[in-house]
Amino acid sequence: MAKKGKKFQDAAKQVDAFNAYAPKDALELVKKIDFAKFDATIETVYKLNVDTKQADQQLRGAVVLPNGTGKEQTVVVFAKGAKADAAKAAGADVVGDDDLVQRIQDGWLDFDVAIATPDMMGQVGRLGRILGPKNLMPNPKTGTVTMDVEKAVADSKSGKVTYRTDRDGNVHVPIGKVSFSADQLLGNLQTINDTIVRLRPASVKGAYVQNVSVASTFGPGVKVDFTQF
């Protein structure tokens, strides 16, 4: 394992690794010890007691954070006719059909969210090997394959984040920027917590949430006492 730098070590010394902090206290501490020279993203990680080999224990979806993410999202929409016009009116950055598919096949990937109407998925499916690994493939579970392109664009522009369990049962979700107030971050974290708890698979036995932490881009993790939500 690579040795951590001095700034990280200094930040880590301010964290009690054996203590789970109250949610707001944890967020205030993450803000205090952040040492990045830019407005770093703060992320939460949930360790869940799920077996991701079981289809019914895999979590995947999207939620709109009440205080946004602090990041300007570039949104593309695959649509034709009236739905293309609606997407443009809603504020989509790029709208197209076969021409947009070809543009991406040619190597253009300068966007954060891709949305498609169901009738376009035959063409968009050809981009699976390009968009899939970058988690950009439109998917009904995240609300990005839909006829309601206006809502999908608006949600993406106003703070929608996606979540999914990795193979070890962890869920990583951004909750804002270091420049956010602790209360703004707490509101977003509460929304993520409510969503994850609500989606507890019926087949899970025992404790469902095992650990929750928050951290900035380069900073050390801070444990959160999730029983205080």
Side-chain angles (χ1 to χ4, degrees), residues 77-80 83 115-125 138-140 143-149:
V77 178
F78 298 91
K80 296 179 179 179
K83 289 300 177 183
I115 297 165
T117 53
D119 59 296
M120 283 298 301
M121 285 307 293
Q123 293 96 306
V124 176
N139 189 299
T144 49
V145 177
T146 177
M147 290 299 288
D148 193 353
V149 292

Side-chain angles (χ1 to χ4, degrees), residues 31-169:
K31 284 168 55 65
K32 175 185 174 184
I33 64 178
D34 175 69
F35 55 85
K37 294 182 179 179
F38 56 92
D39 191 10
T41 295
I42 294 179
E43 180 184 78
T44 186
V45 181
Y46 274 68
K47 171 63 177 173
L48 304 178
N49 174 31
V50 294
D51 179 2
T52 55
K53 294 179 181 178
Q54 307 300 319
D56 66 330
Q57 293 191 25
Q58 297 173 10
L59 272 64
R60 183 173 187 180
V63 62
V64 177
L65 299 181
N67 298 306
T69 63
K71 179 182 179 182
E72 190 71 30
Q73 299 276 57
T74 299
V75 179
V76 303
V77 178
F78 298 91
K80 296 179 179 179
K83 289 300 177 183
D85 293 338
K88 291 175 184 176
D93 298 282
V94 179
V95 180
D97 43 70
D98 292 335
D99 60 322
L100 181 54
V101 171
Q102 186 61 54
R103 185 177 178 185
I104 292 171
Q105 286 179 325
D106 290 341
W108 181 72
L109 286 169
D110 191 18
F111 56 91
D112 304 296
V113 180
I115 297 165
T117 53
D119 59 296
M120 283 298 301
M121 285 307 293
Q123 293 96 306
V124 176
R126 302 200 300 267
L127 301 174
R129 291 185 178 180
I130 300 172
L131 300 182
K134 297 183 178 298
N135 201 28
L136 289 171
M137 191 69 180
N139 189 299
K141 290 184 178 180
T142 59
T144 49
V145 177
T146 177
M147 290 299 288
D148 193 353
V149 292
E150 299 97 323
K151 182 178 186 302
V153 171
D155 285 350
S156 296
K157 289 287 189 178
S158 63
K160 181 178 178 179
V161 293
T162 60
Y163 58 84
R164 66 185 301 176
T165 44
D166 63 21
R167 63 183 181 181
D168 296 317

Side-chain angles (χ1 to χ4, degrees), residues 159-208:
K160 181 178 178 179
V161 293
T162 60
Y163 58 84
R164 66 185 301 176
T165 44
D166 63 21
R167 63 183 181 181
D168 296 317
N170 300 307
V171 180
H172 298 252
V173 191
I175 58 170
K177 297 285 188 178
V178 170
S179 60
F180 281 27
S181 70
D183 285 331
Q184 287 176 311
L185 292 166
L186 181 60
N188 286 348
L189 181 58
Q190 181 72 63
T191 296
I192 295 298
N193 186 77
D194 292 347
T195 300
I196 288 177
V197 170
R198 176 173 53 82
L199 294 173
R200 173 181 175 135
S203 57
V204 168
K205 305 298 181 184
Y208 170 49

